[in-house]
């Protein structure tokens, strides 16, 4: 016979052994005891099996043995899902992820991320004492600048690392759409061709060639007054090129703004 004592809470433990042996005087037999540990047993839980062998001829003759089984720490983590999204410039995307402690003990997870364009952030940056099989919600925010050119991709890799050293990672991909609209070109101020779609009048592009390259069919390219030392401006699509604008594009007069 046996008694089973479990530390703390726990169900599903199984104890199995041969219930009886017929032995001659002086004969010895092994009595294996199998202890089945539940799949969801928490780390540090222990089970004590006290096995008693009693003579059927004389019940006062018996002996006992104690076996202790301790559940090891088996840490694990899952992070999901991954996203691939196509968005317009100026969009703020929020990706919702689920962090699951697939281990069998409390664990604290630190959240870090890497990105290509520098548009991303994560909340929270730490999940403390997440219980076994418990989940936490994480948010990755990607703020796409209004000036982001079509085809530019932000790749955000979110990594969760436990105090146990287990880790999981997920990748979010944000692809900027090619959009239509008026393009702006100027020679002064903050004008730049670097990672610029030329769609924001307060952040114009620096060259006509670049702005035409960014434009899609039906767009108008407005050019502010100035000298543009350029050549080979190829118009191979339905684009209107119009000069004569003031530096802030609030006025159009080719005579005043040559």
């Amino acid at each position: 016979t046996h008694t089973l004592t479990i530390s703390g809470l726990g169900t599903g433990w199984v104890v199995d052994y041969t219930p009886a042996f017929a032995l001659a005087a002086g004969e010895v037999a092994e009595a294996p005891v199998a202890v089945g540990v539940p799949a969801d047993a928490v780390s540090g839980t222990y089970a004590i099996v006290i096995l008693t062998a009693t003579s059927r001829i004389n019940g006062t003759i018996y002996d006992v043995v104690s076996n202790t089984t301790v559940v090891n720490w088996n840490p694990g983590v899952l992070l999901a899902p991954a996203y691939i999204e196509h968005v317009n410039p100026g969009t703020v995307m929020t990706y919702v992820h689920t962090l699951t402690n697939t281990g069998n003990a409390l664990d604290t997870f630190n959240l870090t991320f890497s990105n290509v364009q520098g548009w991303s952030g994560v909340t929270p940056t730490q999940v403390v004492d997440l219980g076994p099989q418990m989940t936490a919600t994480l948010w990755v925010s990607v703020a796409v600048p209004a000036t982001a050119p079509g085809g530019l991709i932000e790749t955000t890799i979110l990594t969760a690392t436990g105090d146990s050293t287990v880790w999981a990672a997920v990748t979010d991909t944000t692809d900027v759409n090619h959009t239509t609209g008026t393009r702006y070109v100027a020679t002064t101020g903050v004008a730049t061709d670097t990672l610029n779609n030329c769609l924001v009048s307060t952040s114009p592009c620096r060259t006509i060639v670049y702005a035409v390259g960014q434009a899609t069919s039906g767009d108008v390219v407005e050019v502010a007054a100035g000298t543009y030392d350029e050549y080979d401006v190829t118009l191979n699509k339905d684009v209107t090129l119009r000069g004569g604008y003031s530096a802030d594009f609030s006025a159009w007069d080719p005579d005043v703004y040559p």
Side-chain angles (χ1 to χ4, degrees):
T1 60
H2 79 281
T3 60
L4 173 65
T5 302
I6 308 295
S7 67
L9 301 176
T11 59
W13 290 78
V14 177
V15 179
D16 186 42
Y17 51 88
T18 301
F21 292 87
L23 301 176
E27 186 179 359
V28 177
E30 292 185 348
V33 177
V35 179
V37 181
D40 60 352
V42 176
S43 170
T45 300
Y46 60 87
I48 300 175
V49 178
I50 298 177
L51 191 66
T52 303
T54 305
S55 170
R56 288 186 177 179
I57 297 175
N58 184 350
T60 63
I61 300 175
Y62 68 91
D63 201 2
V64 288
V65 67
S66 175
N67 299 306
T68 300
T69 302
V70 181
V71 179
N72 290 330
W73 188 12
N74 185 28
V77 60
L78 177 66
L79 189 57
Y83 292 90
I84 299 176
E85 295 291 342
H86 298 265
V87 303
N88 290 336
T91 301
V92 177
M93 284 297 302
T94 299
Y95 301 116
V96 182
H97 298 284
T98 300
L99 173 70
T100 304
N101 179 3
T102 59
N104 63 348
L106 288 174
D107 207 345
T108 292
F109 296 93
N110 294 303
L111 288 311
T112 57
F113 69 93
S114 63
N115 56 24
V116 176
Q117 308 298 341
W119 303 342
S120 306
V122 60
T123 303
T125 57
Q126 187 180 64
V127 176
V128 178
D129 290 343
L130 188 63
Q133 307 306 316
M134 299 299 290
T135 62
T137 301
L138 312 175
W139 294 268
V140 171
S141 178
V142 179
V144 181
T147 55
L152 198 61
I153 296 175
E154 172 67 296
T155 302
T156 307
I157 301 176
L158 175 64
T159 303
T161 305
D163 284 350
S164 60
T165 72
V166 297
W167 63 275
V170 68
T171 300
D172 297 327
T173 303
T174 308
D175 193 341
V176 182
N177 294 327
H178 294 272
T179 55
T180 62
T182 300
R183 312 285 170 165
Y184 302 94
V185 185
T187 60
T188 59
V190 295
T192 179
D193 290 344
T194 303
L195 299 181
N196 196 351
N197 57 21
C198 315
L199 289 169
V200 180
S201 62
T202 54
S203 298
C205 290
R206 180 62 181 80
T207 64
I208 298 170
V209 169
Y210 181 84
V212 170
Q214 287 294 310
T216 59
S217 291
D219 286 355
V220 175
V221 178
E222 296 185 357
V223 182
T227 300
Y228 298 84
D229 186 13
E230 303 181 47
Y231 56 92
D232 291 340
V233 178
T234 302
L235 295 177
N236 57 1
K237 46 194 165 183
D238 182 17
V239 172
T240 300
L241 186 60
R242 182 184 297 157
Y245 284 89
S246 60
D248 61 359
F249 300 95
S250 62
W252 178 72
D253 190 329
D255 294 329
V256 177
Y257 308 108

